[in-house]
Amino acid sequence: MTPLRAPLARYADRLHRAAGDTHHVASPLGAWLLLALAGPAATGDARAALTKALDADPDDAAAEARALLAAPHPMVAAATALWERTPAAELAAWRATLPEATERGPLPDQAALDAWARERTGGLIDRFPVDVAPDTLLVLASALATRVSWADPFDTAPGADLGAGSAWAGRLSWVLRTPPFGHRCWVAATDRAGDVAVHAVPARTGDDGAGMLVVSVAAAPEVPAADVLAAAQELASAAALIPDSVPGRLSLFDLPLGETPLWTLREKPVNTFAPDGREERATAVLPCWSARSRHDLTAPGFGFDAAARALGELLGLAGPGFDAAQSAVARFGRYGFEAAAVTAFGMVAGLPPEGVARVAELRFGHPYAVVAVTTDPAGGPWHALPVYSAWVADPEELPADEAG
């Protein structure tokens, strides 16, 4: 177990419990990473609250987050960003703890934030999860995105193969059936959800051998969703740790023959080289699915209230307002899996006193000069070297396909 896996599982439990048993998708990792990045700002009571929410020391959690974001997995595009209305000197020490790859800049408008969400998720999420108000001081965001193809695509089967007891069997014409090879199917014993049906399908790996395993877990209908999700977290981590493993596997010969909501078990004569003459085989039938969800992360259990207090204390603000939310989407189909999540935390303060501002619009409406200069932070021979220069006295019309 890595140091992150156990705290993340407990954070996932809280997030999925809040979502309940409605159809949804989430990225506990996306939310935990964002909270971890805020952690080093905390002291006193805010630090204690963040430690509880992260289930880890905030500085250790921030180090874990930086390590993940410094070397993102080939199957997961990852990005973080910090935008500020006016960079405050009081936040400089905390700002320095953020990953080097974290995008930084002035606070964009809503359209630009929406565009960031689209670009960082390959178009899977088109709306940034929090709104920017006139009194928003800063926004911290993370984005995760995945698009993978199965190493061995599914076959198809009639929807009726989901079983006579399935409410979906009557409304789905076609579903997915595991191919003869490449997928893992087994029955497992779990502490939280009892005996469950498990299916694991690997994605096609990259040139470096990195991959992704998508694990589906079904329990008896009466088992609460939170318990099934918790069991799935444990089984998925265990199955990914050891190639081709089947954690918690029960022998099919230890189960009664017949029909249950989770499987049909029968016997038939076969020719087999099994030492005891008893061979076990398992296949799976499951539907395609997609989900799109938005999760409110402002409840105390998610820790962003403590993050707002921590940053507010650095700025001398008592109890600043904040918003925190995640948008997530996923699709599971015959040929592959795609998913994305954007998590955002925005902190607001009361509007400053009314004053006056002068705003200039500069116009280049007559001949003017242009100089292109190279820069080199190391101070090399190209630093501050004018490379191109021009005098603009004959402007051109904007191309028609670029207008508007």
Side-chain angles (χ1 to χ4, degrees):
M1 295 279 285
T2 66
L4 174 57
R5 200 170 293 124
L8 183 59
R10 288 187 279 272
Y11 196 91
D13 192 44
R14 293 197 295 275
L15 181 52
H16 285 295
R17 279 187 183 278
D21 60 0
T22 59
H23 185 69
H24 73 274
V25 61
S27 174
L29 175 61
W32 192 95
L33 282 176
L34 197 64
L35 191 64
L37 295 183
T43 59
D45 291 344
R47 186 176 183 85
L50 274 172
T51 300
K52 182 176 180 181
L54 289 164
D55 201 13
D57 176 82
D59 290 331
D60 292 344
E64 289 282 352
R66 286 194 298 270
L68 286 175
L69 294 167
H73 192 280
M75 300 289 182
V76 183
T80 56
L82 170 66
W83 299 287
E84 300 174 84
R85 191 170 296 282
T86 303
E90 295 88 344
L91 298 182
W94 166 70
R95 207 180 287 119
T97 68
L98 296 175
E100 290 184 10
T102 297
E103 302 171 44
R104 304 156 201 241
L107 191 64
D109 61 16
Q110 199 68 47
L113 290 174
D114 292 345
W116 186 87
R118 285 193 298 272
E119 290 166 3
R120 298 303 178 274
T121 63
L124 291 176
I125 293 176
D126 58 9
R127 181 81 168 84
F128 198 73
V130 302
D131 295 328
V132 172
D135 56 349
T136 300
L137 295 178
L138 61 85
V139 171
L140 185 64
S142 71
L144 303 174
T146 292
R147 272 195 173 96
V148 297
S149 299
W150 305 134
D152 296 284
F154 285 90
D155 294 333
T156 60
D161 284 6
L162 289 173
S166 170
W168 300 338
R171 64 184 182 89
L172 297 175
S173 298
W174 294 97
V175 293
L176 307 175
R177 180 180 293 282
T178 50
F181 304 101
H183 296 213
R184 283 179 261 170
C185 305
W186 73 99
V187 176
T190 70
D191 293 333
R192 290 281 295 268
D195 294 351
V196 297
V198 188
H199 168 261
V201 52
R204 184 179 293 122
T205 57
D207 293 338
D208 60 357
M212 178 173 283
L213 188 70
V214 180
V215 179
S216 302
V217 175
E222 66 273 11
V223 179
D227 291 333
V228 184
L229 284 159
Q233 289 264 348
E234 294 180 5
L235 288 168
S237 293
L241 279 171
I242 303 175
D244 300 322
S245 64
V246 284
R249 176 182 172 273
L250 294 172
S251 171
L252 299 183
F253 288 97
D254 292 336
L255 300 172
L257 296 174
E259 184 105 8
T260 77
L262 294 176
W263 55 74
T264 298
L265 189 57
R266 57 191 176 87
E267 282 187 355
K268 67 175 185 178
V270 296
N271 296 320
T272 179
F273 291 108
D276 59 358
R278 303 199 307 175
E279 185 174 298
E280 298 188 28
R281 304 175 185 176
T283 61
V285 179
L286 60 165
C288 299
W289 61 268
S290 67
R292 184 177 295 272
S293 304
R294 184 183 186 278
H295 303 281
D296 183 347
L297 301 178
T298 57
F302 299 125
F304 289 97
D305 58 331
R309 289 202 309 275
L311 292 171
E313 288 170 2
L314 294 179
L315 293 170
L317 301 174
F322 75 99
D323 192 9
Q326 181 183 94
S327 294
V329 62
R331 299 185 184 92
F332 181 105
R334 182 178 182 185
Y335 296 104
F337 174 75
E338 60 183 20
V342 175
T343 310
F345 162 70
M347 196 173 77
V348 301
L351 293 175
E354 289 189 0
V356 63
R358 292 189 178 184
V359 180
E361 181 179 76
L362 306 182
R363 298 188 176 92
F364 293 79
H366 55 270
Y368 60 95
V370 176
V371 178
V373 181
T374 53
T375 62
D376 181 359
W382 284 81
H383 189 51
L385 185 68
V387 180
Y388 305 103
S389 54
W391 178 253
V392 180
D394 185 15
E396 295 182 351
E397 181 63 39
L398 180 72
D401 61 354
E402 298 177 17

